[in-house]
Amino acid sequence: MTPQKLITDYIVDVWMDGDADGIEPETPIAELNIIDSVGIFDLVHHLQDEFRITVPVSEVSLKNFRSINSICDLVERLRKEKGGSAA
């Protein structure tokens, strides 16, 4: 399963009651209140567990958590920095 699918599924299951209607890779999830600031920290914890990465507090920003694509970009960058595979 791709990182995009894993992240999308988690967001849909936790914050959208399993209803993926209207969620696209560029949907502004924070701006549409799909996920709030407290939820972002839950998502950070999930990303760290799922992808075995460390998300520094400095990376927890609206820019990095604006959409599923931006979250995927963050995960891929952190995986590469760690020396792991981005796939």
Side-chain angles (χ1 to χ4, degrees):
M1 193 174 298
T2 67
Q4 184 180 47
K5 176 79 169 126
L6 289 168
I7 293 166
T8 301
D9 288 352
Y10 187 75
I11 290 170
V12 167
D13 289 345
V14 173
W15 291 284
M16 299 177 70
D17 297 324
D19 182 8
D21 283 346
I23 189 100
E24 298 293 333
E26 284 300 326
T27 299
I29 59 176
E31 292 172 28
L32 295 177
N33 294 321
I34 292 171
I35 185 171
D36 60 16
S37 58
V38 174
I40 287 176
F41 284 97
D42 176 70
L43 179 57
V44 165
H45 181 72
H46 174 74
L47 296 173
Q48 293 181 140
D49 288 346
E50 182 71 35
F51 298 104
R52 301 189 186 282
I53 58 173
T54 299
V55 180
V57 173
S58 62
E59 296 286 1
V60 181
S61 66
L62 183 57
K63 175 186 165 204
N64 289 330
F65 288 85
R66 183 180 186 285
S67 66
I68 291 167
N69 276 348
S70 63
I71 297 166
C72 287
D73 291 345
L74 172 67
V75 167
E76 289 179 20
R77 181 169 48 81
L78 293 174
R79 290 175 80 183
K80 285 179 183 175
E81 287 174 6
K82 183 181 173 183
S85 168

Coordinates of all heavy atoms in Angstrom, one line a residue:
M1 N 0.8 -1.2 0.0 CA 0.0 0.0 0.0 C 0.9 1.2 0.0 O 1.9 1.3 0.7 CB -0.9 0.0 1.2 CG -2.0 1.0 1.2 SD -3.2 0.9 2.5 CE -3.9 -0.8 2.3
T2 N 0.5 2.2 -0.8 CA 1.3 3.5 -0.9 C 1.2 4.3 0.4 O 0.2 4.3 1.1 CB 0.9 4.3 -2.1 OG1 -0.4 4.8 -1.9 CG2 1.0 3.5 -3.4
P3 N 2.2 5.2 0.6 CA 2.0 6.1 1.7 C 0.8 7.0 1.6 O 0.1 7.2 2.6 CB 3.3 7.0 1.7 CG 4.3 6.0 1.1 CD 3.5 5.2 0.1
Q4 N 0.5 7.4 0.4 CA -0.7 8.3 0.2 C -2.0 7.5 0.6 O -2.8 8.1 1.3 CB -0.8 8.7 -1.3 CG -1.9 9.6 -1.5 CD -2.0 10.1 -3.0 OE1 -2.0 9.2 -3.9 NE2 -2.2 11.4 -3.2
K5 N -2.1 6.3 0.2 CA -3.3 5.5 0.6 C -3.3 5.2 2.1 O -4.4 5.4 2.7 CB -3.2 4.1 -0.2 CG -4.3 3.2 0.2 CD -5.6 3.5 -0.5 CE -6.6 2.4 -0.3 NZ -7.9 2.9 0.2
L6 N -2.2 4.9 2.7 CA -2.2 4.7 4.2 C -2.6 6.0 4.9 O -3.4 5.9 5.9 CB -0.8 4.3 4.6 CG -0.4 2.9 4.2 CD1 1.1 2.7 4.4 CD2 -1.2 1.8 5.0
I7 N -2.1 7.1 4.5 CA -2.4 8.4 5.1 C -3.9 8.8 4.9 O -4.6 9.2 5.8 CB -1.4 9.5 4.7 CG1 0.0 9.2 5.2 CG2 -1.9 10.9 5.1 CD1 1.1 10.0 4.5
T8 N -4.3 8.6 3.7 CA -5.7 8.9 3.3 C -6.6 8.0 4.2 O -7.6 8.5 4.8 CB -6.0 8.7 1.8 OG1 -5.1 9.6 1.1 CG2 -7.4 9.0 1.5
D9 N -6.4 6.8 4.2 CA -7.2 5.8 5.0 C -7.3 6.2 6.4 O -8.4 6.2 7.1 CB -6.8 4.4 4.8 CG -7.0 3.8 3.4 OD1 -7.7 4.5 2.6 OD2 -6.5 2.7 3.2
Y10 N -6.2 6.6 7.0 CA -6.1 6.9 8.4 C -7.0 8.2 8.7 O -7.8 8.2 9.6 CB -4.7 7.1 8.9 CG -4.6 7.4 10.4 CD1 -4.7 6.3 11.3 CD2 -4.4 8.6 10.9 CE1 -4.7 6.5 12.6 CE2 -4.3 8.8 12.3 CZ -4.4 7.8 13.1 OH -4.4 8.0 14.5
I11 N -6.8 9.2 7.9 CA -7.6 10.4 8.0 C -9.0 10.2 7.9 O -9.9 10.7 8.7 CB -7.1 11.5 7.0 CG1 -5.7 12.0 7.5 CG2 -8.0 12.7 6.9 CD1 -4.9 12.9 6.4
V12 N -9.4 9.4 6.8 CA -10.8 9.1 6.6 C -11.4 8.3 7.7 O -12.5 8.6 8.2 CB -11.0 8.4 5.2 CG1 -12.4 7.8 5.1 CG2 -10.7 9.3 4.1
D13 N -10.7 7.3 8.2 CA -11.2 6.5 9.3 C -11.4 7.3 10.6 O -12.4 7.1 11.3 CB -10.3 5.3 9.6 CG -10.4 4.3 8.4 OD1 -11.4 4.3 7.6 OD2 -9.5 3.4 8.4
V14 N -10.3 8.1 11.0 CA -10.3 8.8 12.3 C -11.2 10.0 12.3 O -11.9 10.3 13.3 CB -8.9 9.0 12.7 CG1 -8.8 9.9 14.0 CG2 -8.1 7.7 12.9
W15 N -11.1 10.9 11.3 CA -11.8 12.2 11.3 C -13.0 12.3 10.4 O -13.7 13.3 10.5 CB -10.8 13.3 11.0 CG -9.8 13.4 12.1 CD1 -10.0 14.0 13.3 CD2 -8.4 12.9 12.2 NE1 -8.9 13.9 14.1 CE2 -7.9 13.3 13.4 CE3 -7.6 12.3 11.2 CZ2 -6.6 13.0 13.8 CZ3 -6.3 12.0 11.6 CH2 -5.8 12.3 12.9
M16 N -13.2 11.3 9.5 CA -14.3 11.5 8.6 C -15.3 10.3 8.7 O -16.1 10.1 7.8 CB -13.7 11.6 7.1 CG -12.8 12.8 7.0 SD -12.1 12.9 5.3 CE -13.6 13.4 4.4
D17 N -15.2 9.6 9.8 CA -16.1 8.5 10.0 C -16.2 7.5 8.8 O -17.2 6.9 8.5 CB -17.6 9.0 10.3 CG -17.6 9.8 11.6 OD1 -16.8 9.4 12.6 OD2 -18.3 10.8 11.7
G18 N -15.1 7.3 8.1 CA -15.0 6.4 7.0 C -15.5 6.9 5.7 O -15.6 6.1 4.7
D19 N -16.0 8.1 5.7 CA -16.6 8.6 4.4 C -15.6 9.5 3.7 O -15.3 10.6 4.0 CB -17.8 9.5 4.8 CG -18.5 10.1 3.6 OD1 -18.2 9.7 2.4 OD2 -19.4 10.9 3.7
A20 N -15.0 8.9 2.6 CA -14.0 9.5 1.9 C -14.5 10.5 0.8 O -13.7 11.1 0.0 CB -13.1 8.5 1.2
D21 N -15.8 10.7 0.7 CA -16.3 11.6 -0.3 C -15.7 13.0 -0.1 O -15.7 13.6 0.9 CB -17.9 11.7 -0.2 CG -18.6 10.6 -0.8 OD1 -17.9 9.8 -1.5 OD2 -19.8 10.4 -0.5
G22 N -15.2 13.5 -1.2 CA -14.6 14.9 -1.3 C -13.2 15.0 -0.8 O -12.6 16.1 -0.9
I23 N -12.6 13.9 -0.4 CA -11.2 14.0 0.0 C -10.3 13.6 -1.2 O -10.5 12.5 -1.8 CB -10.8 13.2 1.2 CG1 -9.4 13.5 1.7 CG2 -11.0 11.7 1.0 CD1 -9.4 14.4 2.8
E24 N -9.5 14.5 -1.6 CA -8.5 14.3 -2.7 C -7.1 14.6 -2.2 O -7.0 15.2 -1.1 CB -8.9 15.3 -3.9 CG -10.2 15.1 -4.5 CD -10.4 13.8 -5.2 OE1 -9.4 13.3 -5.7 OE2 -11.6 13.3 -5.3
P25 N -6.1 14.2 -2.9 CA -4.7 14.5 -2.5 C -4.4 15.9 -2.2 O -3.6 16.2 -1.3 CB -3.9 14.0 -3.6 CG -4.7 12.9 -4.3 CD -6.1 13.4 -4.2
E26 N -5.1 16.9 -2.8 CA -4.8 18.3 -2.5 C -5.9 19.0 -1.7 O -5.9 20.2 -1.6 CB -4.6 19.1 -3.9 CG -3.2 18.8 -4.5 CD -2.0 19.2 -3.6 OE1 -2.2 20.2 -2.8 OE2 -1.0 18.5 -3.6
T27 N -6.8 18.2 -1.2 CA -7.9 18.8 -0.3 C -7.2 19.5 0.9 O -6.4 18.8 1.6 CB -8.9 17.8 0.1 OG1 -9.5 17.2 -1.0 CG2 -9.9 18.3 1.1
P28 N -7.5 20.8 1.2 CA -6.9 21.4 2.3 C -7.5 21.0 3.6 O -8.5 21.6 4.1 CB -7.2 22.9 2.0 CG -8.4 22.9 1.2 CD -8.4 21.6 0.4
I29 N -7.0 19.9 4.2 CA -7.6 19.3 5.3 C -7.7 20.1 6.6 O -8.7 20.1 7.3 CB -7.0 17.9 5.6 CG1 -5.5 18.0 5.9 CG2 -7.2 16.9 4.5 CD1 -4.8 16.7 6.3
A30 N -6.7 21.0 6.8 CA -6.8 21.8 8.0 C -7.7 23.0 7.7 O -8.5 23.3 8.6 CB -5.4 22.3 8.3
E31 N -7.7 23.6 6.6 CA -8.5 24.7 6.3 C -10.0 24.3 6.3 O -10.9 25.2 6.6 CB -8.2 25.3 4.9 CG -6.8 26.0 4.9 CD -6.3 26.4 3.5 OE1 -7.2 26.6 2.6 OE2 -5.1 26.4 3.3
L32 N -10.3 23.1 5.9 CA -11.7 22.6 5.9 C -12.1 22.0 7.2 O -13.2 21.5 7.4 CB -11.9 21.6 4.8 CG -11.7 22.2 3.4 CD1 -11.9 21.1 2.3 CD2 -12.8 23.3 3.1
N33 N -11.2 22.2 8.2 CA -11.5 21.6 9.6 C -11.8 20.1 9.6 O -12.5 19.6 10.5 CB -12.7 22.4 10.3 CG -12.3 23.8 10.6 OD1 -11.2 24.1 10.9 ND2 -13.2 24.7 10.3
I34 N -11.2 19.4 8.7 CA -11.2 18.0 8.7 C -10.4 17.5 9.8 O -10.7 16.5 10.5 CB -10.8 17.4 7.3 CG1 -11.8 17.7 6.2 CG2 -10.6 15.8 7.4 CD1 -11.3 17.4 4.8
I35 N -9.3 18.1 10.1 CA -8.4 17.8 11.2 C -8.0 19.1 11.8 O -7.7 20.1 11.2 CB -7.2 17.0 10.6 CG1 -6.3 16.5 11.8 CG2 -6.4 17.8 9.6 CD1 -5.2 15.6 11.3
D36 N -7.9 19.1 13.2 CA -7.6 20.3 13.9 C -6.1 20.2 14.4 O -5.5 19.2 14.2 CB -8.6 20.6 15.0 CG -8.6 19.5 16.1 OD1 -7.8 18.6 16.1 OD2 -9.6 19.5 16.8
S37 N -5.7 21.2 15.2 CA -4.3 21.2 15.6 C -4.0 20.0 16.6 O -2.9 19.4 16.5 CB -4.0 22.5 16.3 OG -4.8 22.8 17.4
V38 N -4.9 19.6 17.4 CA -4.8 18.5 18.3 C -4.7 17.2 17.4 O -3.9 16.3 17.7 CB -5.9 18.4 19.3 CG1 -5.8 17.1 20.1 CG2 -5.9 19.6 20.2
G39 N -5.5 17.1 16.4 CA -5.5 16.0 15.5 C -4.2 15.8 14.8 O -3.8 14.7 14.5
I40 N -3.6 17.0 14.5 CA -2.3 16.9 13.8 C -1.3 16.2 14.6 O -0.5 15.3 14.1 CB -1.8 18.3 13.3 CG1 -2.7 18.8 12.2 CG2 -0.4 18.3 12.9 CD1 -2.4 20.2 11.7
F41 N -1.3 16.4 15.9 CA -0.3 15.7 16.8 C -0.6 14.2 16.8 O 0.3 13.4 16.9 CB -0.2 16.4 18.1 CG 0.6 17.6 18.0 CD1 0.0 18.8 17.9 CD2 2.0 17.6 18.0 CE1 0.7 20.0 17.8 CE2 2.7 18.7 17.9 CZ 2.1 20.0 17.8
D42 N -1.9 13.8 16.8 CA -2.3 12.4 16.7 C -1.8 11.8 15.4 O -1.2 10.7 15.4 CB -3.8 12.3 16.8 CG -4.2 10.8 16.6 OD1 -3.9 10.0 17.5 OD2 -4.8 10.5 15.6
L43 N -1.9 12.6 14.3 CA -1.5 12.1 13.0 C 0.1 12.0 13.0 O 0.6 11.0 12.4 CB -1.9 13.1 11.9 CG -1.5 12.8 10.5 CD1 -2.0 11.4 10.1 CD2 -2.1 13.8 9.5
V44 N 0.8 12.9 13.6 CA 2.2 12.9 13.7 C 2.6 11.6 14.4 O 3.5 10.8 13.9 CB 2.8 14.1 14.5 CG1 4.3 13.8 14.9 CG2 2.7 15.3 13.6
H45 N 2.0 11.2 15.5 CA 2.3 10.0 16.2 C 2.0 8.8 15.3 O 2.9 7.9 15.3 CB 1.4 9.9 17.5 CG 1.7 8.7 18.3 ND1 2.8 8.5 19.0 CD2 0.9 7.6 18.4 CE1 2.8 7.3 19.6 NE2 1.6 6.7 19.3
H46 N 0.9 8.8 14.6 CA 0.6 7.7 13.6 C 1.7 7.6 12.6 O 2.2 6.5 12.2 CB -0.8 7.9 13.0 CG -1.1 6.9 12.0 ND1 -1.4 5.6 12.2 CD2 -1.1 7.0 10.6 CE1 -1.6 5.0 11.1 NE2 -1.4 5.8 10.1
L47 N 2.1 8.7 12.0 CA 3.1 8.7 10.9 C 4.4 8.1 11.5 O 5.1 7.4 10.8 CB 3.4 10.1 10.4 CG 2.2 10.8 9.7 CD1 2.6 12.3 9.4 CD2 1.8 10.1 8.4
Q48 N 4.8 8.5 12.7 CA 6.0 8.0 13.3 C 6.0 6.5 13.5 O 7.0 5.8 13.2 CB 6.3 8.8 14.6 CG 6.7 10.2 14.4 CD 7.0 11.0 15.6 OE1 7.9 11.8 15.6 NE2 6.3 10.8 16.7
D49 N 4.8 6.0 13.9 CA 4.7 4.6 14.1 C 4.6 3.8 12.8 O 5.3 2.8 12.6 CB 3.4 4.3 14.9 CG 3.5 4.6 16.4 OD1 4.7 4.9 16.8 OD2 2.5 4.6 17.0
E50 N 3.8 4.3 11.9 CA 3.6 3.7 10.6 C 4.8 3.6 9.7 O 5.1 2.6 9.0 CB 2.4 4.3 9.8 CG 2.0 3.7 8.5 CD 1.4 2.4 8.7 OE1 0.6 2.2 9.6 OE2 1.6 1.5 7.8
F51 N 5.5 4.8 9.6 CA 6.6 4.9 8.7 C 8.0 4.8 9.4 O 9.0 5.0 8.7 CB 6.5 6.2 7.9 CG 5.2 6.2 7.0 CD1 4.1 7.0 7.4 CD2 5.1 5.4 5.9 CE1 3.0 7.0 6.7 CE2 4.0 5.4 5.1 CZ 2.9 6.2 5.5
R52 N 8.0 4.6 10.7 CA 9.3 4.5 11.4 C 10.2 5.7 11.2 O 11.3 5.6 10.8 CB 10.0 3.2 11.2 CG 9.1 2.0 11.5 CD 9.9 0.7 11.4 NE 9.0 -0.4 11.6 CZ 8.5 -0.9 12.7 NH1 8.8 -0.2 13.9 NH2 7.8 -2.0 12.8
I53 N 9.6 6.9 11.3 CA 10.3 8.2 11.2 C 10.1 9.0 12.4 O 9.3 8.7 13.3 CB 9.8 9.0 10.0 CG1 8.3 9.3 10.1 CG2 10.1 8.3 8.6 CD1 7.7 10.2 9.1
T54 N 10.9 10.0 12.6 CA 10.8 11.0 13.6 C 10.4 12.3 13.0 O 11.1 12.8 12.0 CB 12.1 11.2 14.4 OG1 12.4 9.9 15.0 CG2 11.9 12.2 15.5
V55 N 9.3 12.9 13.4 CA 8.8 14.2 12.9 C 9.2 15.2 13.9 O 8.6 15.3 15.0 CB 7.3 14.2 12.6 CG1 6.9 15.5 12.1 CG2 6.9 13.1 11.7
P56 N 10.3 16.0 13.6 CA 10.7 17.1 14.5 C 9.5 18.1 14.7 O 8.8 18.4 13.8 CB 11.9 17.7 13.9 CG 12.3 16.7 12.8 CD 11.1 16.0 12.4
V57 N 9.5 18.7 15.9 CA 8.4 19.7 16.2 C 8.5 20.8 15.1 O 7.5 21.3 14.7 CB 8.6 20.2 17.6 CG1 7.6 21.4 17.8 CG2 8.3 19.1 18.6
S58 N 9.7 21.1 14.7 CA 9.9 22.2 13.7 C 9.2 21.9 12.4 O 8.9 22.8 11.6 CB 11.4 22.5 13.5 OG 12.0 21.4 13.0
E59 N 8.9 20.6 12.1 CA 8.3 20.2 10.9 C 6.7 20.2 11.0 O 6.0 20.0 10.0 CB 8.8 18.8 10.4 CG 10.2 18.8 10.1 CD 10.6 19.4 8.8 OE1 9.7 19.9 8.1 OE2 11.8 19.4 8.4
V60 N 6.2 20.3 12.2 CA 4.8 20.3 12.4 C 4.3 21.7 12.1 O 4.2 22.6 13.0 CB 4.4 19.9 13.8 CG1 2.9 19.9 14.0 CG2 5.0 18.5 14.1
S61 N 3.9 21.9 10.8 CA 3.4 23.2 10.4 C 2.3 23.1 9.4 O 2.1 22.0 8.9 CB 4.6 24.0 9.7 OG 4.9 23.3 8.5
L62 N 1.5 24.1 9.2 CA 0.4 24.1 8.2 C 1.0 23.7 6.9 O 0.3 23.0 6.1 CB -0.3 25.4 8.2 CG -1.5 25.5 7.3 CD1 -2.5 24.4 7.7 CD2 -2.1 26.9 7.3
K63 N 2.1 24.2 6.5 CA 2.7 23.9 5.2 C 2.8 22.4 5.0 O 2.5 21.8 3.9 CB 4.1 24.6 5.1 CG 4.8 24.2 3.8 CD 6.2 24.8 3.8 CE 7.0 24.1 2.7 NZ 8.5 24.2 3.0
N64 N 3.3 21.7 6.0 CA 3.6 20.2 5.9 C 2.3 19.4 6.1 O 2.3 18.2 5.8 CB 4.7 19.8 6.9 CG 6.0 20.3 6.5 OD1 6.3 20.5 5.3 ND2 6.9 20.6 7.5
F65 N 1.3 20.0 6.7 CA 0.1 19.2 7.0 C -1.2 19.8 6.3 O -2.3 19.6 6.7 CB -0.1 19.1 8.5 CG 0.8 18.1 9.1 CD1 2.1 18.6 9.5 CD2 0.5 16.8 9.3 CE1 3.0 17.7 10.0 CE2 1.4 15.9 9.8 CZ 2.7 16.4 10.2
R66 N -0.9 20.6 5.2 CA -2.0 21.2 4.5 C -2.9 20.2 3.8 O -4.1 20.3 3.8 CB -1.5 22.2 3.5 CG -2.6 23.0 2.8 CD -2.0 24.0 1.8 NE -3.1 24.8 1.3 CZ -4.0 24.4 0.4 NH1 -3.9 23.1 -0.1 NH2 -4.9 25.2 -0.1
S67 N -2.3 19.2 3.2 CA -3.1 18.3 2.4 C -2.4 16.9 2.5 O -1.3 16.8 3.0 CB -3.1 18.7 0.9 OG -1.7 18.6 0.4
I68 N -3.1 15.9 1.9 CA -2.5 14.5 2.0 C -1.2 14.6 1.2 O -0.2 13.9 1.6 CB -3.5 13.5 1.4 CG1 -4.6 13.4 2.4 CG2 -2.8 12.2 1.1 CD1 -5.8 12.7 1.9
N69 N -1.1 15.2 0.1 CA 0.1 15.3 -0.7 C 1.3 16.0 0.1 O 2.4 15.5 0.0 CB -0.1 16.1 -2.0 CG -0.6 15.2 -3.1 OD1 -0.7 14.0 -3.0 ND2 -1.1 15.8 -4.2
S70 N 1.0 17.0 0.8 CA 2.0 17.7 1.6 C 2.5 16.8 2.7 O 3.7 16.8 3.0 CB 1.6 19.0 2.1 OG 0.5 18.9 3.0
I71 N 1.6 16.0 3.3 CA 2.0 15.1 4.3 C 2.9 14.0 3.7 O 3.9 13.6 4.3 CB 0.8 14.5 5.0 CG1 0.0 15.6 5.7 CG2 1.2 13.4 6.0 CD1 -1.4 15.1 6.2
C72 N 2.5 13.5 2.6 CA 3.3 12.4 1.9 C 4.7 13.0 1.5 O 5.7 12.3 1.7 CB 2.6 12.0 0.6 SG 1.2 11.0 0.8
D73 N 4.8 14.2 1.1 CA 6.1 14.8 0.8 C 6.9 14.9 2.0 O 8.1 14.6 2.0 CB 5.9 16.2 0.2 CG 5.3 16.3 -1.2 OD1 5.2 15.2 -1.8 OD2 4.8 17.4 -1.6
L74 N 6.3 15.3 3.2 CA 7.1 15.3 4.4 C 7.6 13.9 4.8 O 8.8 13.7 5.1 CB 6.2 15.8 5.5 CG 6.8 15.8 6.9 CD1 8.0 16.7 7.1 CD2 5.7 16.1 8.0
V75 N 6.7 12.9 4.7 CA 7.1 11.5 5.1 C 8.2 11.1 4.2 O 9.2 10.5 4.6 CB 5.9 10.6 5.0 CG1 6.3 9.1 5.0 CG2 4.9 10.9 6.1
E76 N 8.1 11.3 2.9 CA 9.1 10.8 1.9 C 10.5 11.5 2.2 O 11.5 10.9 2.2 CB 8.7 11.1 0.5 CG 7.6 10.1 0.1 CD 7.1 10.4 -1.4 OE1 7.8 11.0 -2.1 OE2 6.0 10.0 -1.7
R77 N 10.4 12.8 2.5 CA 11.7 13.6 2.8 C 12.3 13.1 4.1 O 13.5 12.8 4.1 CB 11.3 15.1 2.9 CG 12.6 15.9 3.2 CD 12.3 17.4 3.0 NE 11.1 17.9 3.7 CZ 11.1 18.2 5.0 NH1 12.1 18.0 5.8 NH2 10.0 18.7 5.5
L78 N 11.5 12.8 5.1 CA 12.1 12.3 6.4 C 12.6 10.9 6.2 O 13.6 10.6 6.8 CB 11.0 12.4 7.5 CG 10.6 13.8 7.9 CD1 9.4 13.8 8.9 CD2 11.8 14.6 8.4
R79 N 11.9 10.1 5.4 CA 12.4 8.8 5.2 C 13.8 8.8 4.4 O 14.7 8.0 4.7 CB 11.4 7.9 4.4 CG 10.2 7.6 5.3 CD 9.1 6.9 4.5 NE 9.5 5.5 4.4 CZ 8.7 4.6 3.7 NH1 7.7 5.1 3.1 NH2 9.1 3.4 3.6
K80 N 13.9 9.7 3.5 CA 15.2 9.8 2.7 C 16.3 10.3 3.6 O 17.4 9.8 3.6 CB 15.0 10.7 1.5 CG 14.2 10.1 0.4 CD 14.1 11.1 -0.8 CE 13.2 10.4 -1.9 NZ 13.0 11.4 -2.9
E81 N 16.0 11.3 4.5 CA 16.9 11.8 5.4 C 17.4 10.8 6.4 O 18.6 10.7 6.8 CB 16.4 13.0 6.2 CG 16.2 14.3 5.3 CD 15.5 15.4 6.1 OE1 15.2 15.3 7.3 OE2 15.2 16.4 5.4
K82 N 16.5 9.9 6.7 CA 16.9 8.8 7.7 C 17.7 7.7 6.9 O 18.4 6.9 7.6 CB 15.6 8.2 8.2 CG 15.8 7.1 9.2 CD 14.5 6.5 9.7 CE 14.7 5.3 10.6 NZ 13.5 4.7 11.0
G83 N 17.7 7.7 5.6 CA 18.4 6.7 4.9 C 17.5 5.6 4.4 O 18.0 4.6 3.9
G84 N 16.2 5.7 4.6 CA 15.3 4.6 4.2 C 14.8 4.8 2.9 O 15.1 5.8 2.2
S85 N 13.9 4.0 2.4 CA 13.3 4.0 1.1 C 12.1 5.0 1.2 O 11.4 5.0 2.2 CB 12.8 2.6 0.7 OG 11.9 2.7 -0.3
A86 N 11.8 5.7 0.2 CA 10.7 6.6 0.1 C 9.5 6.0 -0.5 O 8.5 6.6 -0.6 CB 11.1 7.9 -0.7
A87 N 9.5 4.7 -0.8 CA 8.4 4.1 -1.4 C 7.5 3.4 -0.4 O 7.8 3.2 0.7 CB 8.9 3.1 -2.5

